[in-house]
Amino acid sequence: GADFVLLRSFRRRVEHEGWGAVPDLDRFFRALYAYYYHRGSVSLISDALVEAVGLLFASWLSVVLFAYVDWGALASCTGQDTCRQNLSDYAVPGPLSAVTAWNALLVVYAFLVVGYCLSAMARFHTDVTDALRSKRYFEDRLGISERQLEGGSVEWDAVVARAAELQASGEHRVAIHGAGPATIDALSVAQRIMRRDNFLVAMMNCEVLDLGVPQFLPWPLAAQGRQPHLSKSLEWGLHLCVMNFLFNHKMQLRPSFVADPQALKRRFVACGIAQAIFLPFLLYYTVMIYFLSNIYEFKTSKQYLGPRSWTLLAKWKFREFNELPHEFERRLAPSDEAAAAYLRLFTPSAWASAGGRVLALASGSLVAVLLCLAALDDAILLHVHVGRWNLLWYAGVLGAVYSFARGLVPERPPHAPG
């Protein structure tokens, strides 16, 4: 059935008292907040659609590169005589026709990708359904249009205040099936939205979990000592093993969760074994998604390890109880600017900067010469060789060297007065 349904008000009294029955108030308020956070259904659905389409395309491309490309034939292509004319000639016909260990790995990876894509599509359907229902509640009950949210003229506090006013006046009350009307105020709504995250905030700040790197790992991982680390996969494991078993259907703490710590231990062990088994597939898929999503950013921002940001563990430690995401982002944004200004104080050494300028000058000049040759005739880059490789290969290498060299040259800020 539906996750929550809003019943239209019906006239029984002069006050036009109405009721909206929902089976899960936490889900109801999370959907309303997601609608507000994305500034309306159009932005929410478009973001979810872009994420789903990008995920499907990257998943399809990873399977094609993993299974249908003859990499051995491509590696043997060293000249016009050894290369095949069409790209389709390098496709593997029927990659799963033979029963081999490699094909078994391909089948496992394909099943994992398909399962992940199906879950993403189910999540997309849920997001769209919740967005449309939230849109009706905002416009029909609260009187807040999507254009007002897009313009940023409505704050979340005003949304909660309007819902509390409807609840108190009886014009439209929200209640759980089989229970009385719910309490709506800023604190209770934030507690329902942040119910799960509040437990993670408490666990990270009280250091309940041992997130240190094991000492038996090889260098340089073991060189990090007992410094805590938190990755997205580990956070997903915490949600799977802890949060999904922490509350019952009434969103109350399960007594069995506290009374049976061995069950939690077994879930952690099972999750760790599953992640260890599927680690090669997850690593390949994660690297593929990250590379395809950030290849343009590498060229424009020169941040080849990704944009600088606070670690996931730091964000959980910074987070306050009942602090909604938009409030946390507003509080964290000034720290990003201050941290970036602090890092700019530590510019590369003068020798590294000088070497970068020399490399940029030399590689840039050679790339310019190659571009001039390509303007005369593109066959020059393909058929003229310097040593083993043709000029087109050197053009790609020189372009990468130029980008690396430009990253060594810092931007000179205005000289500050003494």
Side-chain angles (χ1 to χ4, degrees):
D3 298 305
F4 62 87
V5 179
L6 298 176
L7 304 180
R8 294 189 175 277
S9 59
F10 50 90
R11 297 190 178 185
R12 295 180 58 188
R13 298 180 182 178
V14 181
E15 294 84 2
H16 306 294
E17 183 176 1
W19 288 88
V22 296
D24 187 349
L25 274 178
D26 288 26
R27 176 67 178 275
F28 172 71
F29 286 119
R30 284 199 302 268
L32 293 184
Y33 179 74
Y35 182 85
Y36 164 81
Y37 181 82
H38 290 276
R39 299 187 184 277
S41 60
V42 175
S43 177
L44 194 155
I45 295 175
S46 62
D47 290 346
L49 180 62
V50 169
E51 181 180 358
V53 172
L55 178 63
L56 291 175
F57 174 77
S59 301
W60 169 82
L61 184 60
S62 66
V63 172
V64 169
L65 295 179
F66 198 36
Y68 288 91
V69 176
D70 189 352
W71 294 102
L74 281 175
S76 63
C77 178
T78 57
Q80 187 175 5
D81 298 333
T82 59
C83 293
R84 303 170 186 176
Q85 182 176 5
N86 299 319
L87 183 61
S88 59
D89 297 332
Y90 292 97
V92 178
L96 304 179
S97 57
V99 180
T100 61
W102 177 254
N103 288 344
L105 292 177
L106 293 180
V107 171
V108 172
Y109 178 75
F111 271 110
L112 290 176
V113 170
V114 170
Y116 186 60
C117 291
L118 289 178
S119 64
M121 296 306 297
R123 188 169 60 249
F124 171 73
H125 177 266
T126 302
D127 292 341
V128 171
T129 304
D130 290 351
L132 296 179
R133 290 171 179 161
S134 300
K135 176 182 176 65
R136 288 197 296 269
Y137 181 81
F138 266 79
E139 295 181 352
D140 297 345
R141 302 302 181 188
L142 303 183
I144 299 175
S145 65
E146 194 164 347
R147 184 175 295 275
Q148 290 177 287
L149 293 178
E150 292 175 355
S153 60
V154 178
E155 290 290 339
W156 175 249
D157 295 339
V159 175
V160 176
R162 176 59 178 158
E165 179 183 346
L166 295 178
Q167 188 84 351
S169 64
E171 183 178 348
H172 183 76
R173 292 177 176 174
V174 179
I176 305 177
H177 284 304
T183 301
I184 296 182
D185 54 50
L187 178 59
S188 64
V189 171
Q191 287 174 337
R192 289 186 177 277
I193 296 174
M194 294 287 298
R195 189 189 300 272
R196 290 170 173 256
D197 290 347
N198 281 340
F199 275 88
L200 280 177
V201 171
M203 286 193 293
M204 299 304 171
N205 282 276
C206 297
E207 298 182 354
V208 175
L209 303 172
D210 184 8
L211 301 176
V213 177
Q215 294 294 335
F216 61 83
L217 292 179
W219 187 91
L221 296 178
Q224 298 295 325
R226 299 299 297 171
Q227 295 183 4
H229 295 271
L230 180 65
S231 62
K232 291 296 292 184
S233 61
L234 183 55
E235 184 188 35
W236 173 82
L238 292 177
H239 280 281
L240 179 65
C241 299
V242 179
M243 297 303 159
N244 289 350
F245 295 87
L246 193 59
F247 304 104
N248 58 18
H249 66 284
K250 295 182 179 180
M251 299 309 294
Q252 298 173 348
L253 189 64
R254 293 177 185 266
S256 59
F257 182 86
V258 181
D260 190 7
Q262 292 301 320
L264 177 61
K265 181 179 179 180
R266 289 192 296 269
R267 289 195 296 270
F268 276 140
V269 172
C271 183
I273 293 175
Q275 291 203 15
I277 293 175
F278 298 118
L279 179 61
F281 307 103
L282 296 176
L283 183 62
Y284 169 76
Y285 186 79
T286 303
V287 171
M288 175 67 67
I289 294 295
Y290 179 79
F291 179 78
L292 295 177
S293 302
N294 298 279
I295 183 63
Y296 183 74
E297 294 296 329
F298 296 158
K299 178 178 177 57
T300 56
S301 65
K302 303 182 181 66
Q303 296 178 353
Y304 301 105
L305 296 179
R308 290 189 177 96
S309 177
W310 295 105
T311 63
L312 193 59
L313 180 60
K315 290 180 179 179
W316 281 115
K317 285 183 173 291
F318 292 162
R319 194 80 171 265
E320 299 287 348
F321 290 110
N322 301 320
E323 187 175 21
L324 296 174
H326 74 282
E327 298 171 339
F328 180 63
E329 292 173 1
R330 291 175 183 176
R331 187 166 64 89
L332 202 62
S335 67
D336 291 334
E337 300 175 1
Y342 176 75
L343 291 175
R344 284 195 295 269
L345 297 177
F346 303 94
T347 58
S349 65
W351 289 109
S353 178
R357 289 195 294 268
V358 172
L359 280 178
L361 175 62
S363 59
S365 301
L366 293 176
V367 168
V369 172
L370 294 178
L371 290 177
C372 293
L373 295 177
L376 296 176
D377 192 344
D378 56 357
I380 297 177
L381 298 185
L382 294 175
H383 302 299
V384 177
H385 288 68
V386 176
R388 182 180 176 183
W389 296 283
N390 58 14
L391 295 183
L392 183 62
W393 183 87
Y394 285 101
V397 172
L398 289 173
V401 171
Y402 178 80
S403 299
F404 172 76
R406 289 294 301 171
L408 295 178
V409 181
E411 297 181 2
R412 294 180 178 270
H415 198 281

